[in-house]
Amino acid sequence: PRASLHSSDRSTHGESDMSASHACCWLALLLLGFASAPRAQEANAPPCGTIVLFDRNVPADNVYPVGVIDIDGKQPFRGRNSYTLTPGKHVLKVGEKAPQGELSFQVQRSPDRGVRNRSFEIEVQPDRVYVIAALFDPEQDSDPKAYWKPVVLEEVAGVCKP
């Protein structure tokens, strides 16, 4: 699934223009850094793609940051904002990182701590950058199993640095 931060997709809350514009600017700067970086691969280095974690709260667009829990069943080094992966299918387990105040009472009080985590499959292509985020569904906000889903917020060309 893909999400966007285009103005036509925005709900109208007071801060929507400000928060979405900040998110778009941040996203553009981040992706510009990946696209303009010099190629670090040697000619015989294997191809790769990059997963980047969205790290801003954009409540007006129902978009929130995520953290990686595991990739293909293995726990990666945490605290990173990007991960290099080989081309092909991968299963990412991510956790949404929305502020507690953005969560419904039912979600906050769920006895299952895993409700804030989701797994999804992504097909990684060489020299592509995938920005991963949590997309909340306001119509499902009281359902701990359906209130959010992981999305590829943006996919762009970018030089992969293994």
Side-chain angles (χ1 to χ4, degrees):
R2 298 220 192 303
S4 69
L5 291 175
H6 300 292
S7 59
S8 62
D9 296 336
R10 261 188 245 143
S11 60
T12 53
H13 294 90
E15 77 275 6
S16 66
D17 289 335
M18 183 63 82
S19 60
S21 67
H22 279 105
C24 288
C25 290
W26 171 86
L27 192 58
L29 289 172
L30 174 73
L31 296 176
L32 180 63
F34 275 96
S36 64
R39 181 169 282 280
Q41 292 177 304
E42 295 179 20
N44 60 353
C48 60
T50 306
I51 302 294
V52 175
L53 305 179
F54 190 70
D55 68 352
R56 302 282 186 247
N57 293 317
V58 189
D61 292 323
N62 299 307
V63 176
Y64 294 91
V66 294
V68 169
I69 296 167
D70 70 47
I71 299 173
D72 297 328
K74 297 178 183 123
Q75 293 183 348
F77 178 75
R78 295 211 181 166
R80 294 175 53 191
N81 193 44
S82 65
Y83 298 88
T84 301
L85 299 175
T86 57
K89 291 185 181 187
H90 294 276
V91 176
L92 275 65
K93 184 175 185 182
V94 295
E96 57 87 353
K97 296 169 72 175
Q100 282 292 104
E102 298 290 329
L103 303 175
S104 70
F105 178 78
Q106 293 88 342
V107 171
Q108 289 182 35
R109 300 292 182 229
S110 175
D112 179 5
R113 295 305 216 184
V115 299
R116 296 187 76 173
N117 303 333
R118 303 280 191 274
S119 292
F120 74 106
E121 189 172 272
I122 184 169
E123 178 78 29
V124 173
Q125 299 296 321
D127 290 326
R128 300 294 295 176
V129 178
Y130 303 87
V131 179
I132 309 299
L135 179 64
F136 279 36
D137 182 348
E139 294 184 16
Q140 300 289 330
D141 69 346
S142 62
D143 183 347
K145 295 188 186 279
Y147 75 99
W148 80 279
K149 65 182 175 183
V151 294
V152 174
L153 190 63
E154 190 78 39
E155 176 185 351
V156 296
V159 176
C160 181
K161 298 181 276 183

